[in-house]
Amino acid sequence: MMTTAGWIALGITVFGAFSYATASILQAVAARRSSGTVETMRHPLYLLGILCDMLAWIGAIVALRELAVYVVESILAGSLAITVVAARIVLKSRLRGRDVTAVIVSVAALTVLAMSAGPQHDVVATTALRWSICAAALAMAVLGWSAARAAPAGVIAAMGGLCLGGAAMTGRALPRAPMDIVTDPLTAALLTFAVTGMLMYAHALGKGEVGPVTAIHWTAEVVAPSAVALLLLGDKVRTGWEVPAAAAVVVTIAAAVMLARAPASEAAAGEPLALECPLTPSIEAPPLPVLARAGIPVVAHRAGATGERIIWWGPPPIWRPPARPRPASQPAGRL
């Protein structure tokens, strides 16, 4: 049975799933408002998403001290179900019957995964294992830099998922003593995996559709690192729960793929965050793509709307009064 520390770690992981759901929406919107990876990384919404990512990531590293990699990564993949439900409630997006089914199936599969998790033993990393993980982190960073230049979005998303999964696996192998963590080479490998994975995911969102990119990203992040952790790090499944746990992982991935392609996920990624300004007068403006490319704050118009939706990030719009001709009877030197 799971210990008290294990249940606490499970709660931290669930909180991480909610944080990742929030971050995914913010980062996808930022990517759609930017023209490249560097600009995306500077976007305020992306930076806010990074903060949510960091909370989830730190929580996952803590949870990995008590839970197996396959449990933590599968629950984090359940953030897609949270994203779809939130999009339906907040953005009033369409939710298909298959999406409702996928959400329910995800919750059931994640419950099975939670029940299948038994107490985990501390990982004693050998010198060979340490340097193998460090070499893998460096290799993924080099390959990721090469792939970002020419590879399609799906390949970049898969490599980003492998990197973030590698960070989770590395976190499972870290020593417990704080001073040992600071001096251990695995810490450098963990940071390399994490930074590379985040950069590649942001780049993939900028090149491809958010649904397929997210589905590929989470599939790669869950499957390969979980298998490696079971084979090399000694992660254990609760006795008698091997088959249900394996089935739950497969179901979780399948549901994540379906939910990533859901209309609610697309709406959550593409809907601008805006404030309604009913008192703002209508203004004739050039087409929105022209304004966006020129770096001018965009005022989005909707047919039949009583007001305007003004995007609230970026430099504030500045109104300058038009030049007015002086009355003919007024001397030029007087105001």
Side-chain angles (χ1 to χ4, degrees):
M1 295 294 293
M2 194 182 301
T3 62
T4 302
W7 285 110
I8 294 174
L10 185 64
I12 293 174
T13 307
V14 173
F15 170 78
F18 278 91
S19 295
Y20 271 137
T22 304
S24 296
I25 295 174
L26 294 174
Q27 291 168 354
V29 173
R32 289 293 180 260
R33 299 293 180 268
S34 307
S35 59
T37 303
V38 175
E39 185 178 344
T40 299
M41 297 294 292
R42 293 198 301 257
H43 199 286
L45 289 181
Y46 187 85
L47 296 176
L48 185 59
I50 287 292
L51 177 61
C52 295
D53 274 332
M54 289 177 62
L55 290 175
W57 184 67
I58 293 172
I61 296 300
V62 173
L64 284 165
R65 313 311 297 168
E66 302 292 337
L67 298 175
V69 172
Y70 80 91
V71 175
V72 173
E73 290 299 304
S74 296
I75 292 176
L76 293 180
S79 62
L80 289 173
I82 302 171
T83 301
V84 168
V85 174
R88 176 66 182 92
I89 295 173
V90 177
L91 302 177
K92 311 299 181 185
S93 58
R94 184 168 64 93
L95 201 61
R96 304 170 301 183
R98 72 185 73 172
D99 302 329
V100 176
T101 301
V103 170
I104 296 173
V105 169
S106 293
V107 173
L110 294 175
T111 302
V112 172
L113 283 172
M115 299 302 296
S116 71
Q120 302 298 318
H121 301 290
D122 290 343
V123 176
V124 180
T126 63
T127 301
L129 179 61
R130 280 186 170 88
W131 291 113
S132 296
I133 293 176
C134 291
L138 181 60
M140 288 301 297
V142 174
L143 290 174
W145 179 81
S146 301
R149 302 177 64 184
V155 174
I156 299 172
M159 296 185 67
L162 289 175
C163 287
L164 292 179
M169 185 186 66
T170 306
R172 180 82 178 90
L174 282 175
R176 285 186 177 269
M179 290 307 300
D180 291 342
I181 292 177
V182 173
T183 58
D184 199 300
L186 288 177
T187 302
L190 186 149
L191 294 175
T192 302
F193 271 132
V195 172
T196 303
M198 287 189 292
L199 288 172
M200 296 190 72
Y201 182 50
H203 191 60
L205 284 173
K207 291 187 68 173
E209 296 296 327
V210 64
V213 163
T214 304
I216 295 171
H217 176 84
W218 275 116
T219 301
E221 184 171 347
V222 173
V223 176
S226 298
V228 172
L230 288 169
L231 294 174
L232 299 182
L233 301 185
D235 280 3
K236 301 294 183 184
V237 182
R238 185 177 167 188
T239 304
W241 285 75
E242 292 83 0
V243 174
V249 171
V250 173
V251 170
T252 300
I253 294 171
V257 171
M258 180 176 292
L259 290 172
R261 306 297 298 272
S265 294
E266 298 291 342
E271 180 72 8
L273 299 179
L275 296 177
E276 296 290 343
C277 298
L279 300 180
T280 305
S282 297
I283 301 174
E284 292 296 330
L288 298 184
V290 176
L291 291 175
R293 286 196 298 270
I296 300 174
V298 177
V299 178
H301 298 269
R302 285 190 175 183
T306 58
E308 294 175 341
R309 295 166 60 85
I310 298 181
I311 298 177
W312 54 271
W313 56 82
I318 300 175
W319 181 81
R320 294 184 175 87
R324 296 180 180 179
R326 297 177 182 275
S329 61
Q330 183 177 359
R334 296 180 59 186
L335 297 177

Tab-separated table of all heavy atoms in Angstrom, residues 80-82 84-85 95 98-108 255 259:
chain	number	residue	atom	x	y	z
A	80	LEU	N	-4.339	17.507	-19.986
A	80	LEU	CA	-5.130	17.769	-21.186
A	80	LEU	C	-6.619	17.673	-20.889
A	80	LEU	O	-7.417	18.441	-21.444
A	80	LEU	CB	-4.738	16.777	-22.290
A	80	LEU	CG	-3.361	17.004	-22.903
A	80	LEU	CD1	-3.015	15.863	-23.847
A	80	LEU	CD2	-3.315	18.321	-23.630
A	81	ALA	N	-7.013	16.734	-20.039
A	81	ALA	CA	-8.424	16.639	-19.656
A	81	ALA	C	-8.857	17.895	-18.908
A	81	ALA	O	-9.967	18.408	-19.105
A	81	ALA	CB	-8.652	15.393	-18.798
A	82	ILE	N	-7.991	18.399	-18.047
A	82	ILE	CA	-8.304	19.626	-17.301
A	82	ILE	C	-8.434	20.797	-18.263
A	82	ILE	O	-9.326	21.647	-18.132
A	82	ILE	CB	-7.223	19.896	-16.246
A	82	ILE	CG1	-7.104	18.708	-15.291
A	82	ILE	CG2	-7.524	21.162	-15.464
A	82	ILE	CD1	-5.917	18.784	-14.355
A	84	VAL	N	-9.373	20.773	-21.424
A	84	VAL	CA	-10.615	20.676	-22.195
A	84	VAL	C	-11.815	21.098	-21.350
A	84	VAL	O	-12.684	21.850	-21.808
A	84	VAL	CB	-10.790	19.239	-22.719
A	84	VAL	CG1	-12.187	19.026	-23.261
A	84	VAL	CG2	-9.766	18.948	-23.810
A	85	VAL	N	-11.874	20.622	-20.114
A	85	VAL	CA	-12.994	20.989	-19.236
A	85	VAL	C	-12.978	22.487	-18.946
A	85	VAL	O	-14.026	23.153	-18.972
A	85	VAL	CB	-12.933	20.174	-17.927
A	85	VAL	CG1	-13.989	20.652	-16.945
A	85	VAL	CG2	-13.128	18.691	-18.218
A	95	LEU	N	-17.845	20.928	-26.848
A	95	LEU	CA	-17.323	19.690	-26.286
A	95	LEU	C	-18.079	18.528	-26.914
A	95	LEU	O	-19.281	18.364	-26.720
A	95	LEU	CB	-17.497	19.689	-24.761
A	95	LEU	CG	-16.600	18.758	-23.955
A	95	LEU	CD1	-15.139	19.115	-24.165
A	95	LEU	CD2	-16.947	18.838	-22.480
A	98	ARG	N	-17.301	12.416	-27.754
A	98	ARG	CA	-16.078	11.634	-27.589
A	98	ARG	C	-15.102	12.309	-26.629
A	98	ARG	O	-14.314	11.641	-25.968
A	98	ARG	CB	-15.424	11.409	-28.955
A	98	ARG	CG	-14.785	12.648	-29.559
A	98	ARG	CD	-14.264	12.426	-30.954
A	98	ARG	NE	-15.359	12.334	-31.911
A	98	ARG	CZ	-15.180	12.292	-33.232
A	98	ARG	NH1	-13.948	12.305	-33.722
A	98	ARG	NH2	-16.201	12.216	-34.048
A	99	ASP	N	-15.165	13.652	-26.558
A	99	ASP	CA	-14.295	14.357	-25.622
A	99	ASP	C	-14.732	14.115	-24.180
A	99	ASP	O	-13.896	13.935	-23.292
A	99	ASP	CB	-14.302	15.853	-25.917
A	99	ASP	CG	-13.865	16.165	-27.341
A	99	ASP	OD1	-13.046	15.395	-27.880
A	99	ASP	OD2	-14.345	17.155	-27.908
A	100	VAL	N	-16.038	14.120	-23.958
A	100	VAL	CA	-16.553	13.817	-22.617
A	100	VAL	C	-16.139	12.417	-22.209
A	100	VAL	O	-15.695	12.168	-21.083
A	100	VAL	CB	-18.089	13.974	-22.581
A	100	VAL	CG1	-18.637	13.557	-21.218
A	100	VAL	CG2	-18.489	15.406	-22.895
A	101	THR	N	-16.264	11.481	-23.166
A	101	THR	CA	-15.858	10.099	-22.881
A	101	THR	C	-14.374	10.025	-22.554
A	101	THR	O	-13.960	9.325	-21.622
A	101	THR	CB	-16.176	9.203	-24.089
A	101	THR	OG1	-17.578	9.268	-24.371
A	101	THR	CG2	-15.777	7.765	-23.809
A	102	ALA	N	-13.550	10.751	-23.308
A	102	ALA	CA	-12.102	10.729	-23.066
A	102	ALA	C	-11.752	11.296	-21.702
A	102	ALA	O	-10.852	10.790	-21.025
A	102	ALA	CB	-11.378	11.506	-24.165
A	103	VAL	N	-12.458	12.341	-21.271
A	103	VAL	CA	-12.210	12.909	-19.947
A	103	VAL	C	-12.549	11.895	-18.865
A	103	VAL	O	-11.776	11.674	-17.916
A	103	VAL	CB	-13.021	14.206	-19.761
A	103	VAL	CG1	-12.966	14.669	-18.301
A	103	VAL	CG2	-12.498	15.301	-20.666
A	104	ILE	N	-13.705	11.247	-18.991
A	104	ILE	CA	-14.114	10.255	-17.989
A	104	ILE	C	-13.146	9.082	-17.965
A	104	ILE	O	-12.735	8.606	-16.895
A	104	ILE	CB	-15.553	9.777	-18.284
A	104	ILE	CG1	-16.535	10.951	-18.142
A	104	ILE	CG2	-15.945	8.632	-17.354
A	104	ILE	CD1	-17.945	10.618	-18.572
A	105	VAL	N	-12.743	8.612	-19.150
A	105	VAL	CA	-11.795	7.498	-19.230
A	105	VAL	C	-10.452	7.893	-18.635
A	105	VAL	O	-9.797	7.092	-17.949
A	105	VAL	CB	-11.655	7.037	-20.695
A	105	VAL	CG1	-10.484	6.077	-20.852
A	105	VAL	CG2	-12.938	6.360	-21.166
A	106	SER	N	-10.027	9.140	-18.879
A	106	SER	CA	-8.758	9.605	-18.306
A	106	SER	C	-8.790	9.569	-16.786
A	106	SER	O	-7.833	9.107	-16.145
A	106	SER	CB	-8.456	11.036	-18.781
A	106	SER	OG	-8.201	11.069	-20.163
A	107	VAL	N	-9.869	10.058	-16.210
A	107	VAL	CA	-9.982	10.060	-14.748
A	107	VAL	C	-9.941	8.639	-14.203
A	107	VAL	O	-9.259	8.342	-13.206
A	107	VAL	CB	-11.277	10.783	-14.314
A	107	VAL	CG1	-11.488	10.643	-12.812
A	107	VAL	CG2	-11.222	12.252	-14.703
A	108	ALA	N	-10.654	7.714	-14.884
A	108	ALA	CA	-10.652	6.323	-14.431
A	108	ALA	C	-9.258	5.698	-14.549
A	108	ALA	O	-8.792	4.997	-13.639
A	108	ALA	CB	-11.666	5.521	-15.250
A	255	ALA	N	-6.267	8.664	-24.591
A	255	ALA	CA	-7.185	9.755	-24.246
A	255	ALA	C	-6.513	11.108	-24.421
A	255	ALA	O	-7.146	12.074	-24.877
A	255	ALA	CB	-7.681	9.583	-22.805
A	259	LEU	N	-7.890	14.090	-26.735
A	259	LEU	CA	-8.214	15.383	-26.140
A	259	LEU	C	-7.366	16.504	-26.732
A	259	LEU	O	-7.814	17.653	-26.809
A	259	LEU	CB	-8.020	15.321	-24.622
A	259	LEU	CG	-9.035	14.468	-23.865
A	259	LEU	CD1	-8.628	14.320	-22.414
A	259	LEU	CD2	-10.430	15.063	-23.974
